[in-house]
Amino acid sequence: MKNLRLHLIVLVLVVVAEKIGNIAFTLGVGKIVLLPMMYALLMGVLTAPRFLKISRDTEINAASSLLGVTLMLLMAKYGTLVGPSLPKILAASPALILQEFGNLGTILVGVPVAVFLGLKRETIGAAHSIAREPNVALIGERYGLDAAEGRGVMGVYIAGTVIGTIFFGLMASFAAAYLPLHPYALAMAAGVGSASMMSAAVGSLSAMFPEMADQLAAFGAASNMLSGLDGLYMSIWMGLPLSEWLYRKVYRIKYGEPAPESEKEAHAE
């Protein structure tokens, strides 16, 4: 009852989003699918105190703490799809496990771009991963969320929450339309550790390949669960060390001097 207002707001947003339903339109040879999750996300942003002021700070803080519960229910639903497709998933297990090395590509691209845009140690938190909940916890424990690295990871986390779902849905449609990759491979690639992003990508793929809808959801869910399990260890053992090393290299190229080892040292300079 303490969060009754929040639950009523969420209920209204969900009903409106579901009433709108999926909106699909063709773009070239591909199909872009706008899902109810996207509408609910955008409407939720509009209810914030900065806009329509329907939600208050108390509702926003309560919603943050309840997010984990709702994602747990979503993953439980996807878990029921993994069982029937288990033989196919086991056959693809090496690919599902090795795909985590592909996530290191965000470091090779993100660190140089961030440094040349002027970011300092925020680069390490922002570019070491896709910055979902386990990565936020890792950076918070290692550096503190009030440090430069903490601001970096939170910036990417917020950006991913706001526009990542839309981006993943569109990217999956374009990849399915223009790249010579099997839909199963694209569904596996969608499981980067974010339930909402994975759901958007798999939803777009399912609209394009309805005969594979259950298998695509199973591959996406299995991939997402594996990314959540081994992705954190990949960040600890490879992601953060690689980000630190590449940050120092790129910093020296841009500024011609060694990178500061801490935010206090950077301010002192």
Side-chain angles (χ1 to χ4, degrees):
M1 293 300 294
K2 183 175 68 173
N3 297 317
L4 180 60
R5 179 185 171 89
L6 169 63
H7 295 313
L8 290 176
I9 293 173
V10 171
L11 178 61
V12 171
L13 295 182
V14 170
V15 170
V16 173
E18 289 293 337
K19 286 293 183 181
I20 297 173
N22 294 353
I23 298 178
F25 55 92
T26 302
L27 184 65
V29 296
K31 180 183 291 186
I32 295 177
V33 182
L34 302 180
L35 303 171
M37 182 183 296
M38 299 182 191
Y39 320 141
L41 176 65
L42 294 175
M43 288 187 293
V45 171
L46 290 177
T47 65
R50 287 180 175 268
F51 298 101
L52 299 180
K53 300 181 180 179
I54 297 174
S55 301
R56 300 170 301 193
D57 289 336
T58 52
E59 279 82 44
I60 292 175
N61 293 332
S64 299
S65 63
L66 293 172
L67 183 61
V69 177
T70 58
L71 291 179
M72 181 178 64
L73 295 174
L74 177 63
M75 294 314 298
K77 174 189 174 184
Y78 280 123
T80 63
L81 299 172
V82 174
S85 300
L86 193 57
K88 293 182 180 179
I89 292 172
L90 291 176
S93 290
L96 284 170
I97 295 172
L98 292 174
Q99 70 159 351
E100 197 58 44
F101 285 94
N103 290 339
L104 297 176
T106 61
I107 299 170
L108 302 179
V109 175
V111 169
V113 171
V115 172
F116 280 102
L117 286 176
L119 295 181
K120 298 296 177 62
R121 291 195 62 85
E122 294 89 351
T123 299
I124 296 169
H128 84 284
S129 68
I130 64 164
R132 303 323 296 162
E133 287 82 358
N135 306 106
V136 172
L138 171 62
I139 294 297
E141 186 273 334
R142 184 71 58 89
Y143 304 99
L145 292 180
D146 57 343
E149 296 86 351
R151 293 195 298 273
V153 73
M154 286 305 300
V156 175
Y157 177 80
I158 294 170
T161 301
V162 174
I163 65 175
T165 302
I166 299 174
F167 178 78
F168 259 56
L170 295 177
M171 184 171 63
S173 295
F174 279 109
Y178 294 107
L179 297 180
L181 297 174
H182 195 280
Y184 289 171
L186 296 175
M188 284 190 279
V192 295
S194 169
S196 59
M197 295 180 189
M198 183 272 294
S199 299
V202 169
S204 297
L205 293 172
S206 298
M208 298 179 70
F209 307 100
E211 71 282 0
M212 302 181 184
D214 288 345
Q215 291 82 2
L216 291 172
F219 272 101
S223 173
N224 206 62
M225 285 187 284
L226 283 173
S227 292
L229 290 172
D230 65 3
L232 180 60
Y233 296 103
M234 186 70 75
S235 294
I236 294 172
W237 295 330
M238 296 188 68
L240 275 178
L242 178 59
S243 297
E244 290 266 12
W245 176 82
L246 187 57
Y247 167 70
R248 290 193 293 268
K249 295 293 183 182
V250 178
Y251 190 98
R252 180 180 286 274
I253 292 173
K254 180 177 180 182
Y255 296 103
E257 60 184 23
E261 293 298 326
S262 67
E263 188 176 17
K264 291 183 179 178
E265 184 180 335
H267 287 315
E269 294 178 358

